[in-house]
Amino acid sequence: MDFNLENPLTNSHELHFDTTPSLFHIESDHMPSKNYLKTLKEIDFDVSFRREAISSVLRVSCNFDPSLSYLAVNYLDRFLSSQGIPQPKPWVFKLLAVACVSLAAKMKEAEFYITDIQGDGGFVFDSQTIQKMEVLLLGALNWRMRSITPFSFISFFISLFKPKDPPLRQALKARACEIIFKAQNDINLLEFRPSLTAASALLYACHELFPMQFLCFRKAISICSYVNKENLLECYNAMQETAIDGYKSQFDMVSSSDTPVNVLDRHFSSSESENTNGTVVMISSNGSNKTWPEKDIKRRKISALCNNQTVQLSAFSDATTMLM
């Protein structure tokens, strides 16, 4: 059974409340470090790198469920938190994105081919190269791939919502999930524990949809032994700008735009394309770069893989042997 963001410690889609204390206890192990957040806030370049890296993740995961993209971005932030921001080379964005999406797809047990996560145009990597990057990611994340995210706490906090009608609870959950997807883009919310993000998203959704229930719901969450009331207030206030955009469902936007990329990427402008004048770059094992017309890329991908052409990864954050 595939990994479920709502129940990361179980293999069942039913919530096991005996795992709830464990979720709150270990959630900080699945967050970026405070130094990472401080760096992002102080250095514009690092914010730009994260934005570009996330955009790359969304481009190569556009054929998958948005939850897979969310998981991949979680891996991305935790990796950058551990390893630091590398040099802004175009292939770095792409390779890191492909590896994060590949690991997320494997965790979700999604069927895919290498070509499915290469995107359209730009650099192309073979399976060996991607696997080497995956090993780096696994090491940096200490093999903690069953990420604890805000989605892991949704069911617990909804249980504190007084109305028990399934349609009302489903509406509350759907709106909160939209807010959580959007919140991942906001660096100001990275400092808060996933549980606080979940609680704040549900409170904001309740304020929008069921204002008469807001005070009661806020009190129920605030007195929860797992929640720091002051931190909850800070997170809730920080989330308002993320959630303020309105009621329009992002999932409706997905259906109207044909791909789920807009669910997470709607606030990012399109990054500079790796596709230049209709050509695609393949870096061969001897270090030479070749460009081909984009219309020939599928044939070239196949022949390159058959010939074991491998991208020469000599520098990720100026380390000449990191992937060798």
Side-chain angles (χ1 to χ4, degrees):
M1 185 174 294
D2 66 277
F3 171 63
N4 182 8
L5 285 179
E6 292 190 34
N7 297 297
L9 302 184
T10 71
N11 291 323
S12 171
H13 287 267
E14 296 296 326
L15 178 67
H16 291 260
F17 279 93
D18 58 347
T19 67
T20 299
S22 297
L23 289 173
F24 283 98
H25 180 69
I26 66 176
E27 62 176 322
S28 60
D29 293 335
H30 299 259
M31 294 175 58
S33 70
K34 292 183 179 180
N35 289 335
Y36 174 63
L37 304 179
K38 182 179 179 181
T39 300
L40 287 178
K41 289 182 178 181
E42 293 179 350
I43 305 177
D44 291 338
F45 163 74
D46 289 349
V47 174
S48 298
F49 183 95
R50 180 180 185 266
R51 183 181 297 115
E52 177 64 23
I54 292 178
S55 294
S56 294
V57 167
L58 298 171
R59 282 195 296 270
V60 301
S61 63
C62 64
N63 294 322
F64 296 98
D65 184 270
S67 64
L68 189 150
S69 300
Y70 191 96
L71 182 60
V73 174
N74 174 270
Y75 294 161
L76 170 72
D77 275 326
R78 290 164 58 199
F79 176 80
L80 294 178
S81 169
S82 172
Q83 301 299 307
I85 304 295
Q87 293 298 317
K89 298 179 180 179
W91 64 266
V92 172
F93 295 119
K94 181 69 174 291
L95 178 59
L96 185 54
V98 168
C100 287
V101 171
S102 176
L103 286 175
K106 291 173 181 177
M107 289 297 298
K108 297 283 290 181
E109 295 187 6
E111 295 184 1
F112 68 99
Y113 296 99
I114 292 178
T115 53
D116 295 335
I117 58 174
Q118 296 281 355
D120 295 326
F123 296 97
V124 177
F125 308 100
D126 64 12
S127 59
Q128 183 179 9
T129 300
I130 296 171
Q131 288 171 2
K132 289 180 178 179
M133 188 67 237
E134 288 177 347
V135 171
L136 280 180
L137 279 162
L138 290 168
L141 273 55
N142 294 318
W143 289 80
R144 292 172 177 148
M145 310 308 292
R146 303 182 69 85
S147 296
I148 310 299
T149 69
F151 297 103
S152 308
F153 301 92
I154 288 290
S155 294
F156 171 77
F157 286 122
I158 284 183
S159 71
L160 305 178
F161 187 58
K162 189 173 182 179
K164 304 301 180 183
D165 297 338
L168 298 183
R169 290 191 167 197
Q170 184 57 39
L172 181 66
K173 178 180 178 179
R175 177 57 180 147
C177 287
E178 292 176 357
I179 296 171
I180 291 170
F181 275 121
K182 294 168 62 179
Q184 193 177 38
N185 298 334
D186 188 351
I187 64 171
N188 293 318
L189 291 168
L190 286 174
E191 66 179 286
F192 298 105
R193 290 173 175 260
S195 58
L196 290 175
T197 300
S200 297
L202 283 165
L203 283 175
Y204 199 94
C206 179
H207 187 268
E208 286 184 338
L209 303 177
F210 313 109
M212 298 298 293
Q213 298 292 332
F214 175 75
L215 291 179
C216 182
F217 192 31
R218 184 181 65 180
K219 180 179 179 180
I221 292 178
S222 297
I223 64 176
C224 175
S225 61
Y226 301 115
V227 175
N228 181 292
K229 187 175 180 179
E230 292 183 0
N231 291 341
L232 175 63
L233 179 61
E234 290 180 9
C235 184
Y236 179 80
N237 290 335
M239 183 169 288
Q240 291 192 61
E241 291 188 7
T242 297
I244 201 68
D245 288 343
Y247 295 93
K248 185 174 181 181
S249 171
Q250 291 180 335
F251 297 108
D252 291 340
M253 292 179 62
V254 170
S255 62
S256 64
S257 61
D258 295 330
T259 69
V261 66
N262 288 326
V263 173
L264 300 177
D265 201 28
R266 59 184 299 197
H267 293 296
F268 288 146
S269 59
S270 297
S271 59
E272 184 178 355
S273 175
E274 294 169 339
N275 183 354
T276 306
N277 296 326
T279 62
V280 177
V281 180
M282 174 76 79
I283 307 178
S284 66
S285 57
N286 62 11
S288 63
N289 295 355
K290 298 181 180 180
T291 60
W292 296 304
E294 188 171 7
K295 64 183 180 180
D296 293 335
I297 184 58
K298 290 185 178 180
R299 176 170 59 85
R300 296 296 184 178
K301 284 180 182 177
I302 295 173
S303 63
L305 293 176
C306 291
N307 292 330
N308 293 322
Q309 288 181 299
T310 307
V311 177
Q312 184 67 31
L313 304 177
S314 59
F316 188 93
S317 187
D318 295 326
T320 58
T321 59
M322 285 187 72
L323 297 180
M324 304 304 293

